Amino acid sequence: MPTSIDQENSGITHPANVSSSSKSTGLEPTNQLYDPEATNRDYDDQLDTLNALLERENRIKEGAERFLKLPLNETMRLQVESELEMATGEIESLTRKIELETSRGRRRKNGIPLNRRKFAGQVPPVGVRFRADSDDRDRDDFRTTLAQANACIKSLNSLSRPITSPLPVPSPSSTSNISATDNDRSRVDIMNRFVSILQRNLRVRYETNLPEVIQAIIPALSDRCSMRCRAAAYRLVRHALVDSNSAEELHKQPLEWFIVKSLARDNKHAIEREQVIKLIRTIVDIVSEPRDRRSITATKTIPLSEPIMRAFVAVAEHAEDPFRPICIQTLAEMVLIDIDLVARSGGIRFLLHALGEGPVEVGPILAATFLHIIDSPRTRAYLHLGTDLEIALSAITDAYGKGADHADRMRSCTKIIQLMLRTWSGLMYFCLGDQHAIKSIIDTLRIPSLETREIVLDMFFDLFNIKAPQWYKTFIDGRRLTMYRKPRAFADQLTDQKLTEKASETLKLTDQYIALLVLVFTDAGLIDALTAMLEECTTGSNLSRKATLLMAEVMRMANRVLPLGVAAKIQAVPRVFNLAADYNRGEHRIVGTSALSAIDSFNRNRLRLQPSVRNARPRANSSEDAVRRGQRQVEQVKIKMGMQMDDKTFQSSLLETQVMLTKDSAKWNFEMLQELIEGPLLNPKRLEEAIKVARFMRRLLSFFHPFTHRFSDLPRKQPNVRWVRLGCSLLTTLLASPDGIRFLASEDDLLKQIVKCFAQLDPFNGTSESDPIFSKYRLSETLTYGYFEMLGTLSKHAEGIELMEKFKFFTAFYHLSELRDREDLITAVITNLDYTIDGHPRIVLSKALTSSDVRTRLYATNHLGDLIRDSVTPVAWTLRLLLTQIYDQAPEVCELAIQFLEEACDAMEILQLVVEMQPTMDHLGEIGHPLLLKFMSTPMGFRYLYSAGYIDREMDMWFHDRNIHYVVEVEIFLSKVFSSEAVEDDEDVLAFDGVVPPHFYGEMSKTELGCQVLSEKGHFSEFSHFVKQHGLESEDPELILKLKSILWAMGNVGATEGGLPFLEEEEIIPAILDIAEHSLIPSVRGTCFFVLGLISSTSQGAEILDDYRWEATLSPLGVPTGLCIPLDLNKFISLPAWDPVGIRGDGDSRLIPPTSHTDLEVISAIENLSNTVIANAASRSLARMKSRPEYRSAFSSPSVFFRALHTVSTQRYRLPVRRYIFDLFTTELDGELVLELSACADSLRAPPTFKQSEAHISRVVSMFGLKHTRGTSESDDEDDDMDDVVDETVNDTVMITLCPVSRIIGFDN
């Protein structure tokens, strides 16, 4: 939010700006030819400019000197002296520059150019001198800027001196007001000027003495100064901070109470409060930056005191404060850096409250913050188990009785619950205490009158990643699914199946985590809760059907991702079968049988409406096979009958097409035309008759001629597309016989005219047209595009390619590829050409692949990738062309080529073929690594890379750095794909399809030679030693990250048949299981969970894990899928309980009790304000005290003010209450008062051995104040007497008992 402080800065004119403008007028080196006249002219202009500036500064200096001779008040005199000092500095700087320019000018007049070069690369003869000059100038600029900064500090110091004016003044009050306003304005100007100096020159920040700056701006922070003045002071402090040392230095300065009071001001002082908050954020940012590698692991502290933190928390708590959102986010950052400070100031309690009931938009941020806290045993000790973080569930668990208005709150709560349950920290925290939190979520489904249960059901659909197809709505509405047909065209379904085919082959990391979620929730009673929903109503409702649907989906998912034995227990649904078999109670039997029938119907219709990949290929015994076979037979009979047509029938068919009778294609019989072309005309005799005797073919082909504007002018609409198909069929028929080829070559003008159309665009031809046939408009709006399809039909036949060569089509294509703005033409050509026959079409494609236009190259590469993807067998020429694209200059073309190569190399035959070509990929850097890792998985590829030195080089890099990057990549993917905000087209999510990404050590262990190299290097033994030594590390983040990286490396090695013996030799599997069950870090346990899944992906690995009660999921054929589940679930997901850490405030925070009775009464009332029960009475009491004369001394006493400040800094007060307490006191906060407060802090602090006297402990002060006699005096003696009276009165008072009064009404004794 821009402030007027920032805006003021742009409008200030001061000598610093003058110097920067004069600096920009200095001569710059140039490579142009030396022109003596022009150079001298430029030199004269520069010199004139500098002289004009010097004259201006001299005038300022003379004016200032004259001013100083006049009688001035102190403020004005100090301002004039400051201007004089700055003007003198500018005069010295300008004089030096003029001398420098004059010496350069002399050299120019003597014919020596400063920077003349005869040819590129020649060193200028005076280059060394020029560099020295520029260095001197930079040094002078720094010195000047530093001098200006010091001058600003002096000016600020001088403005804070007491004003003594020797002149007689007419009105003291008006003069003081004017001088105060002038002072403020002067301070703001100087501070803004100082900030602009610090912004321009970073080095000055490091040279500036921060304590001096603070001492200079403390007067500007006093209550007497304006809001803008205080804001400018905070802004200056913020810009003066450079590193953590300066932040520590700031912590020692006496700014604490100024910041506390500024934060407590109302919204009229928004500019000032904004600058304070920016200052606090700057301190947090500086502390959060790592100073070096070692400091990453060190625990950091934020140099802010508890009073400032409590004031900051009060702003964050106030719901109506405009700065609340930024304060909440800043507190969330602070918790991650220095949790102890935030805990001491009550920030954690507030953040938990904000997570449960605060603004919806900050919920995910706070949830992620607390999840990070849970991940470490040191930080989670600040949370109370079972009460703190569970507040995030309150909108769901406490929804009963809150009505439909609460629905939005519940939806936002479900997003937070999903976010937390999709992380290891959240899942394991909520599983503590016998899964109490998870059971409480599930139990909300059992409340019959809760109308918002559908929101909870939707949460489970999202949590288990269940994607609802279109027909779910039909199922939930209770309509029959048997009448529901396929919603999309068959072609669309095939496309979707192709896209999902690869994804369905292997289970993903997300599936492994969801398997655990399903196990946890079914173990906590989810199926029973859903069954309870079904029992509510025998007739069934949308809600109960949705519950049935969720039950069916959970059972299906269990069958897919869980081991057979575990899944069978879930799928048994004993309670539903018990209901169905309960013959004693009819309603139970109805509910049970309806549920089983619905689940069965759902499963059958799912298979029918969503055929799996296995069913995508048409089977020989499928129900539709007879229909397809019949259609083929009918087509063959038609063709056979057509070719055997007699003369009379053929003649009548030709006439029936209407082609011989009219040129209007709308009147032609299209069906008859199609039958003739695809039937009788395939007979050479009939074709010859149609060409020579009836002249039918000539009339038909003339319709397709571009220059007749009949076919080429038809609009590009769906009904007209059939003419394009007819044209392609016609060319196919003509190419089938020698007569047809001869007719196309010599008797008809179709091909000749199409070539002329291309010539209209050819820049080498010179016959350009204003409206060419192949214009952009015609290609997009008319059937002109069909000519490209026809040429594609020609290119499918060797005879057609000969015709194209004869008419020089390929020459035209080569010329078209040079057109800059017509990439649509070349893309149409390469899309429609057929490449099965070796020849010019492949050359056209290769020319497009090396076109000068990047978009054309991208399109051609994409098309080439599609050709490779669609080819049934590996084609060497396409792979060779694709390999040339990895050397393209444009990185996007390279990346696309690599992407297609990676996809193609999934097939072992293609991978072998590519490896045999031995491409060089060193230049690709990071994007080439995945492909090279695939090369490593084959013996030939590994030998090739090993001989090229790639293996040794990469092995060292993975050992030291890349292992860490791999962990980060996987964890970022999992956090993104599981976050509620994840979008499907997120680049990072798409770049990683969820299958475990290839790991160098894993690919290496796939070959025998790789295992040998791994064994020789000894890396695996080092890994196992580290795991055994640091497996249960819970403090050092760097060691924990390295442990995760090594676990992933071991898992990838263990996932191969050749790598598993490494794990057995080192006996590392028991160590990994021990970490999974005993580590204090949830994310490390989660890493072990995924790693054990990798180890279980081989049959031998699955058998080993089975001995340790970790069961692998197998496919129906008994092949391990790479998922592994602990049979003893609690041992894995339960973290050990902890005792909350005792939060201790700032040391020695107790004060000696006040001796004065009035002081004690005021402080007691202020303390009562923190108690919401008696706060109103306390505020009335304080208002009454404020109006009485005997209390005036208390409300103006620095010691009482310090006690009040100490109270609000050690207890929780809401922001309006803090504001009210500050408004009670008549003291003005300034530098002098801060010194007095500092003295009070020393004198009033209670020593560690101090114990309160019995008199003070037993003293009870009324929140309504004391009754005073009329003769009350403010002297100490009378106060002491009053104290005695109060003590006696209090001691005589009967204690209030809190027992309720018991009365029996209606009976007499």
Side-chain angles (χ1 to χ4, degrees):
M1 171 170 144
T3 65
S4 54
I5 297 295
D6 296 301
Q7 291 162 0
E8 284 169 10
N9 191 28
S10 59
I12 298 167
T13 305
H14 48 75
N17 287 342
V18 176
S19 70
S20 63
S21 63
S22 61
K23 178 170 68 180
S24 67
T25 61
L27 293 171
E28 299 294 335
T30 176
N31 293 334
Q32 296 174 354
L33 293 173
Y34 177 58
D35 180 1
E37 291 183 11
T39 308
N40 287 332
R41 201 162 44 248
D42 288 345
Y43 154 70
D44 291 338
D45 290 344
Q46 302 296 340
L47 208 56
D48 289 344
T49 306
L50 289 172
N51 281 323
L53 290 169
L54 182 62
E55 187 178 353
R56 178 185 166 216
E57 293 299 330
N58 277 320
R59 284 179 186 166
I60 292 172
K61 182 182 177 185
E62 289 171 11
E65 286 171 346
R66 285 181 194 153
F67 242 97
L68 288 172
K69 293 176 182 175
L70 299 173
L72 301 171
N73 63 23
E74 187 67 20
T75 308
M76 189 67 75
R77 179 175 293 280
L78 292 170
Q79 195 171 350
V80 173
E81 285 175 353
S82 170
E83 290 295 333
L84 177 61
E85 190 175 350
M86 287 186 145
T88 308
E90 279 300 310
I91 289 168
E92 290 175 7
S93 173
L94 287 168
T95 307
R96 280 197 298 272
K97 286 178 181 174
I98 289 171
E99 288 172 0
L100 183 64
E101 295 299 332
T102 309
S103 64
R104 289 178 179 176
R106 284 198 209 99
R107 288 207 296 278
R108 285 196 198 92
K109 287 175 183 175
N110 292 333
I112 306 168
L114 278 180
N115 198 9
R116 178 162 55 93
R117 297 190 183 184
K118 294 179 182 176
F119 56 89
Q122 179 178 343
V123 180
V126 289
V128 178
R129 175 67 187 153
F130 178 76
R131 184 65 244 164
D133 289 343
S134 67
D135 282 348
D136 288 342
R137 188 172 65 190
D138 290 345
R139 205 174 295 118
D140 289 342
D141 286 342
F142 167 68
R143 287 202 196 104
T144 307
T145 316
L146 187 60
Q148 290 170 356
N150 289 328
C152 289
I153 295 173
K154 285 181 185 175
S155 303
L156 287 170
N157 281 326
S158 58
L159 285 172
S160 61
R161 291 175 196 155
I163 299 167
T164 54
S165 175
L167 296 176
V169 284
S171 170
S173 62
S174 63
T175 306
S176 63
N177 287 337
I178 293 167
S179 64
T181 308
D182 288 347
N183 257 354
D184 265 13
R185 196 177 293 116
S186 302
R187 281 196 179 104
V188 171
D189 286 348
I190 293 167
M191 286 188 286
N192 284 337
R193 196 182 309 157
F194 199 169
V195 168
S196 68
I197 290 169
L198 296 175
Q199 285 174 329
R200 274 201 327 274
N201 199 321
L202 186 64
R203 190 176 162 194
V204 174
R205 294 191 189 187
Y206 286 92
E207 297 295 332
T208 306
N209 188 341
L210 187 64
E212 287 183 11
V213 175
I214 301 298
Q215 289 305 318
I217 59 100
I218 278 179
L221 293 171
S222 71
D223 289 347
R224 283 191 296 275
C225 293
S226 68
M227 164 185 68
R228 293 184 185 281
C229 185
R230 290 192 294 269
Y234 288 126
R235 180 166 172 259
L236 174 57
V237 175
R238 171 163 59 90
H239 282 283
L241 296 175
V242 284
D243 53 19
S244 52
N245 292 331
S246 58
E248 292 285 352
E249 191 63 44
L250 178 66
H251 183 50
K252 299 172 187 173
Q253 304 304 316
L255 289 183
E256 183 177 66
W257 302 123
F258 290 116
I259 292 174
V260 169
K261 186 161 187 180
S262 292
L263 286 171
R265 295 185 193 274
D266 57 22
N267 289 334
K268 294 175 188 173
H269 298 79
I271 297 173
E272 177 185 348
R273 297 175 76 220
E274 179 193 347
Q275 292 301 328
V276 174
I277 291 167
K278 281 185 174 180
L279 174 60
I280 292 171
R281 279 201 61 81
T282 304
I283 293 169
V284 173
D285 288 343
I286 286 172
V287 172
S288 64
E289 290 172 6
R291 301 177 211 177
D292 54 28
R293 186 177 174 83
R294 283 167 304 192
S295 68
I296 295 172
T297 61
T299 307
K300 297 173 186 172
T301 54
I302 300 174
L304 289 173
S305 63
E306 194 176 323
I308 293 176
M309 284 299 297
R310 285 194 180 271
F312 193 73
V313 170
V315 176
E317 280 182 324
H318 192 48
E320 297 167 10
D321 198 284
F323 296 106
R324 188 188 192 200
I326 189 62
C327 288
I328 292 176
Q329 291 180 41
T330 307
L331 276 172
E333 291 176 43
M334 289 178 173
V335 165
L336 299 179
I337 299 166
D338 187 356
I339 189 170
D340 189 61
L341 174 68
V342 180
R344 277 189 279 119
S345 52
I348 290 183
R349 185 201 57 78
F350 159 68
L351 288 176
L352 286 164
H353 178 77
L355 176 64
E357 300 174 14
V360 172
E361 59 274 7
V362 298
I365 298 170
L366 296 179
T369 303
F370 282 109
L371 289 172
H372 185 82
I373 289 172
I374 294 167
D375 201 42
S376 168
R378 184 186 68 82
T379 51
R380 67 171 171 256
Y382 286 87
L383 297 177
H384 292 76
L385 186 59
T387 55
D388 277 2
L389 204 57
E390 285 74 4
I391 196 171
L393 315 178
S394 58
I396 295 285
T397 53
D398 300 346
Y400 181 70
K402 294 197 176 174
D405 298 339
H406 189 59
D408 290 338
R409 188 84 204 172
M410 284 181 73
R411 285 191 190 91
S412 63
C413 178
T414 57
K415 284 194 174 67
I416 291 172
I417 292 172
Q418 281 178 58
L419 179 69
M420 299 179 90
L421 285 173
R422 284 179 159 185
T423 62
W424 291 110
S425 307
L427 179 63
M428 291 187 180
Y429 180 88
F430 286 143
C431 285
L432 286 166
D434 193 26
Q435 302 181 4
H436 180 72
I438 285 175
K439 286 175 181 174
S440 67
I441 297 170
I442 292 171
D443 286 343
T444 56
L445 296 174
R446 301 178 192 269
I447 306 171
S449 55
L450 186 60
E451 296 173 0
T452 48
R453 281 184 293 173
E454 189 174 358
I455 297 170
V456 184
L457 287 177
D458 288 337
M459 180 194 79
F460 282 116
F461 275 99
D462 291 338
L463 183 64
F464 297 138
N465 219 12
I466 298 168
K467 303 284 187 238
Q470 293 175 353
W471 54 271
Y472 271 33
K473 183 70 178 145
T474 310
F475 184 90
I476 291 168
D477 290 343
R479 299 200 300 272
R480 289 182 64 190
L481 292 173
T482 50
M483 302 302 292
Y484 195 84
R485 287 305 298 159
K486 296 175 184 179
R488 292 171 295 180
F490 187 65
D492 292 344
Q493 281 197 334
L494 286 180
T495 308
D496 286 352
Q497 286 159 14
K498 280 181 185 175
L499 291 174
T500 56
E501 188 167 358
K502 184 184 173 188
S504 302
E505 284 171 4
T506 52
L507 293 166
K508 305 177 182 179
L509 286 175
T510 48
D511 290 320
Q512 192 168 349
Y513 190 79
I514 285 168
L516 186 66
L517 277 180
V518 169
L519 191 60
V520 167
F521 274 90
T522 50
D523 189 51
L526 176 62
I527 299 293
D528 281 350
L530 293 173
T531 310
M533 289 180 73
L534 304 182
E535 289 180 52
E536 292 168 17
C537 178
T538 54
T539 55
S541 62
N542 280 16
L543 193 64
S544 66
R545 281 188 286 272
K546 198 164 196 172
T548 309
L549 187 60
L550 178 60
M551 189 186 294
E553 282 285 9
V554 168
M555 289 161 65
R556 188 185 68 84
M557 190 171 285
N559 187 48
R560 192 171 70 94
V561 298
L562 291 176
L564 194 59
V566 180
K569 290 177 184 174
I570 296 170
Q571 290 169 330
V573 281
R575 191 168 165 190
V576 177
F577 277 103
N578 286 342
L579 290 171
D582 188 355
Y583 286 89
N584 296 324
R585 299 186 63 180
E587 64 273 14
H588 280 187
R589 191 157 175 267
I590 292 170
V591 168
T593 52
S594 299
L596 292 173
S597 171
I599 291 170
D600 179 53
S601 170
F602 161 78
N603 286 327
R604 277 188 289 104
N605 284 283
R606 187 183 183 91
L607 287 172
R608 186 174 62 84
L609 296 176
Q610 283 191 312
S612 64
V613 180
R614 291 190 301 275
N615 300 333
R617 183 176 59 81
R619 298 192 310 273
N621 62 344
S622 71
S623 58
E624 296 175 3
D625 190 55
V627 178
R628 286 198 300 271
R629 199 160 48 240
Q631 286 173 348
R632 281 200 303 272
Q633 287 172 354
V634 169
E635 287 167 7
Q636 287 167 4
V637 168
K638 271 188 177 182
I639 292 170
K640 196 173 181 181
M641 286 176 64
M643 292 181 75
Q644 293 172 355
M645 191 180 285
D646 61 0
D647 292 348
K648 192 173 181 182
T649 312
F650 180 66
Q651 289 295 334
S652 65
S653 297
L654 289 182
L655 288 172
E656 197 178 333
T657 60
Q658 303 288 321
V659 172
M660 312 287 288
L661 304 176
T662 176
K663 286 188 174 183
D664 185 1
S665 61
K667 295 180 180 178
W668 292 356
N669 186 337
F670 182 83
E671 287 75 17
M672 181 58 72
L673 261 176
Q674 196 169 12
E675 281 183 22
L676 274 173
I677 289 169
E678 294 176 358
L681 290 179
L682 288 170
N683 187 335
K685 183 186 170 190
R686 295 298 177 205
L687 182 61
E688 184 184 0
E689 189 180 338
I691 292 171
K692 293 181 179 175
V693 180
R695 304 181 68 80
F696 168 82
M697 193 60 70
R698 190 179 300 279
R699 291 180 70 90
L700 179 57
L701 269 180
S702 68
F703 164 71
F704 289 99
H705 289 178
F707 295 135
T708 60
H709 291 284
R710 291 161 67 194
F711 169 79
S712 59
D713 280 10
L714 285 174
R716 187 173 181 172
K717 292 180 180 174
Q718 192 58 39
N720 291 334
V721 174
R722 60 184 184 165
W723 292 107
V724 178
R725 290 198 299 270
L726 187 76
C728 295
S729 300
L730 183 58
L731 288 176
T732 305
T733 301
L734 288 170
L735 290 171
S737 74
D739 288 331
I741 295 167
R742 190 167 54 253
F743 178 72
L744 279 174
S746 56
E747 296 178 32
D748 190 75
D749 290 342
L750 175 65
L751 299 181
K752 199 180 294 181
Q753 287 194 20
I754 295 175
V755 169
K756 283 183 181 176
C757 294
F758 284 125
Q760 292 175 346
L761 304 168
D762 192 349
F764 302 102
N765 202 346
T767 59
S768 59
E769 294 267 338
S770 59
D771 184 24
I773 294 292
F774 289 121
S775 66
K776 278 189 177 179
Y777 172 78
R778 281 177 172 278
L779 270 180
S780 59
E781 300 297 329
T782 67
L783 291 188
T784 308
Y785 80 94
Y787 290 120
F788 290 100
E789 290 193 17
M790 293 179 199
L791 293 173
T793 304
L794 286 178
S795 67
K796 289 177 183 175
H797 305 85
E799 299 84 0
I801 290 179
E802 286 177 14
L803 285 174
M804 291 173 77
E805 288 173 356
K806 179 182 176 183
F807 287 100
K808 299 186 177 175
F809 273 98
F810 295 111
T811 308
F813 293 161
Y814 298 144
H815 290 171
L816 287 178
S817 65
E818 302 299 328
L819 292 179
R820 291 278 179 183
D821 56 341
R822 292 306 305 274
E823 69 273 359
D824 57 327
L825 287 173
I826 193 66
T827 53
V829 169
I830 62 175
T831 305
N832 289 291
L833 283 180
D834 187 82
Y835 303 99
T836 49
I837 300 171
D838 191 9
H840 280 287
R842 294 183 186 178
I843 300 171
V844 170
L845 179 59
S846 65
K847 191 163 176 61
L849 288 166
T850 54
S851 165
S852 58
D853 184 42
V854 177
R855 288 172 298 180
T856 305
R857 297 206 302 276
L858 269 173
Y859 187 87
T861 308
N862 216 345
H863 185 65
L864 181 62
D866 290 338
L867 289 176
I868 293 171
R869 189 187 285 154
D870 296 338
S871 63
V872 181
T873 56
V875 184
W877 72 268
T878 53
L879 294 170
R880 202 168 284 113
L881 278 180
L882 190 58
L883 281 174
T884 59
Q885 292 306 96
I886 67 175
Y887 306 108
D888 196 285
Q889 292 179 347
E892 57 267 35
V893 177
C894 272
E895 285 179 28
L896 189 63
I898 289 290
Q899 186 181 324
F900 280 120
L901 269 174
E902 275 186 63
E903 187 182 326
C905 286
D906 286 341
M908 190 53 69
E909 304 88 6
I910 294 181
L911 181 58
Q912 292 283 11
L913 205 57
V914 172
V915 169
E916 284 171 17
M917 294 175 185
Q918 296 196 346
T920 306
M921 297 188 179
D922 292 343
H923 67 288
L924 292 173
E926 289 296 324
I927 60 170
H929 283 306
L931 190 57
L932 289 170
L933 288 178
K934 283 195 173 171
F935 282 15
M936 284 174 57
S937 62
T938 64
M940 183 190 293
F942 190 87
R943 282 193 212 95
Y944 165 57
L945 294 174
Y946 188 71
S947 60
Y950 172 81
I951 301 294
D952 286 334
R953 185 172 68 248
E954 281 295 304
M955 203 166 180
D956 289 337
M957 289 175 71
W958 275 83
F959 186 72
H960 292 107
D961 291 323
R962 289 227 169 128
N963 268 336
I964 304 288
H965 296 173
Y966 182 89
V967 179
V968 173
E969 180 191 347
V970 172
E971 291 192 352
I972 285 175
F973 163 76
L974 287 171
S975 67
K976 281 198 172 186
V977 85
F978 275 143
S979 74
S980 55
E981 307 296 323
V983 286
E984 290 184 0
D985 57 348
D986 193 325
E987 288 181 9
D988 291 330
V989 174
L990 287 179
F992 176 19
D993 59 4
V995 182
V996 182
H999 193 288
F1000 181 83
Y1001 288 102
E1003 300 300 310
M1004 198 174 183
S1005 57
K1006 286 181 180 177
T1007 60
E1008 195 175 336
L1009 182 60
C1011 291
Q1012 188 181 333
V1013 173
L1014 182 58
S1015 179
E1016 288 171 2
K1017 282 278 187 179
H1019 285 187
F1020 200 87
S1021 57
E1022 289 187 44
F1023 288 162
S1024 63
H1025 177 70
F1026 185 91
V1027 167
K1028 289 171 182 174
Q1029 187 178 2
H1030 300 288
L1032 299 178
E1033 176 62 46
S1034 62
E1035 293 296 330
D1036 190 336
E1038 199 169 348
L1039 283 178
I1040 291 167
L1041 188 61
K1042 189 175 179 184
L1043 175 66
K1044 288 180 187 174
S1045 72
I1046 287 174
L1047 287 170
W1048 275 109
M1050 288 180 155
N1052 278 280
V1053 171
T1056 61
E1057 296 285 352
L1060 193 61
F1062 284 98
L1063 277 73
E1064 291 183 276
E1065 285 171 20
E1066 296 289 341
E1067 296 181 351
I1068 203 68
I1069 293 177
I1072 295 173
L1073 288 163
D1074 186 55
I1075 296 168
E1077 293 173 356
H1078 297 105
S1079 176
L1080 297 176
I1081 310 289
S1083 58
V1084 173
R1085 289 193 182 199
T1087 304
C1088 291
F1089 179 70
F1090 289 130
V1091 165
L1092 291 167
L1094 286 173
I1095 294 170
S1096 74
S1097 55
T1098 62
S1099 300
Q1100 193 181 352
E1103 286 176 18
I1104 294 169
L1105 288 173
D1106 193 47
D1107 296 339
Y1108 293 99
R1109 292 182 54 76
W1110 279 67
E1111 192 170 346
T1113 305
L1114 306 178
S1115 71
L1117 297 175
V1119 179
T1121 57
L1123 301 190
C1124 193
I1125 295 295
L1127 293 179
D1128 190 352
L1129 184 63
N1130 286 329
K1131 195 181 280 189
F1132 172 66
I1133 59 169
S1134 294
L1135 292 170
W1138 63 87
D1139 295 323
V1141 69
I1143 298 170
R1144 186 174 50 81
D1146 285 346
D1148 302 331
S1149 59
R1150 290 188 306 160
L1151 300 183
I1152 296 171
T1155 52
S1156 164
H1157 179 72
T1158 53
D1159 293 359
L1160 178 63
E1161 200 167 350
V1162 168
I1163 294 303
S1164 299
I1166 288 173
E1167 287 176 351
N1168 288 341
L1169 285 174
S1170 66
N1171 186 335
T1172 51
V1173 177
I1174 57 175
N1176 288 336
S1179 66
R1180 287 195 296 271
S1181 176
L1182 282 166
R1184 202 176 297 116
M1185 291 181 202
K1186 184 82 185 284
S1187 63
R1188 291 181 179 173
E1190 60 265 28
Y1191 289 97
R1192 281 177 194 160
S1193 61
F1195 287 112
S1196 59
S1197 163
S1199 64
V1200 178
F1201 186 46
F1202 173 74
R1203 289 179 186 278
L1205 287 173
H1206 180 269
T1207 303
V1208 299
S1209 300
T1210 51
Q1211 298 179 34
R1212 176 179 172 263
Y1213 285 85
R1214 292 181 299 111
L1215 187 62
V1217 177
R1218 297 173 75 89
R1219 203 173 286 152
Y1220 174 71
I1221 291 169
F1222 278 109
D1223 291 342
L1224 284 172
F1225 289 88
T1226 56
T1227 52
E1228 282 190 351
L1229 190 63
D1230 54 16
E1232 293 176 6
L1233 181 59
V1234 165
L1235 291 175
E1236 289 184 41
L1237 293 175
S1238 179
C1240 290
D1242 293 333
S1243 61
L1244 297 180
R1245 183 178 293 120
T1249 55
F1250 173 76
K1251 289 184 179 178
Q1252 280 189 314
S1253 64
E1254 290 298 324
H1256 281 293
I1257 293 171
S1258 61
R1259 180 193 299 272
V1260 177
V1261 180
S1262 167
M1263 58 187 164
F1264 303 103
L1266 291 173
K1267 292 180 181 178
H1268 292 279
T1269 57
R1270 290 181 181 178
T1272 304
S1273 169
E1274 290 183 10
S1275 67
D1276 292 339
D1277 295 335
E1278 289 181 8
D1279 280 340
D1280 291 337
D1281 294 338
M1282 180 60 74
D1283 285 349
D1284 296 335
V1285 172
V1286 173
D1287 285 339
E1288 290 167 12
T1289 309
V1290 167
N1291 289 332
D1292 292 338
T1293 305
V1294 179
M1295 298 298 292
I1296 298 174
T1297 60
L1298 297 180
C1299 297
V1301 176
S1302 176
R1303 289 180 185 171
I1304 300 173
I1305 298 173
F1307 295 92
D1308 291 332
N1309 291 331

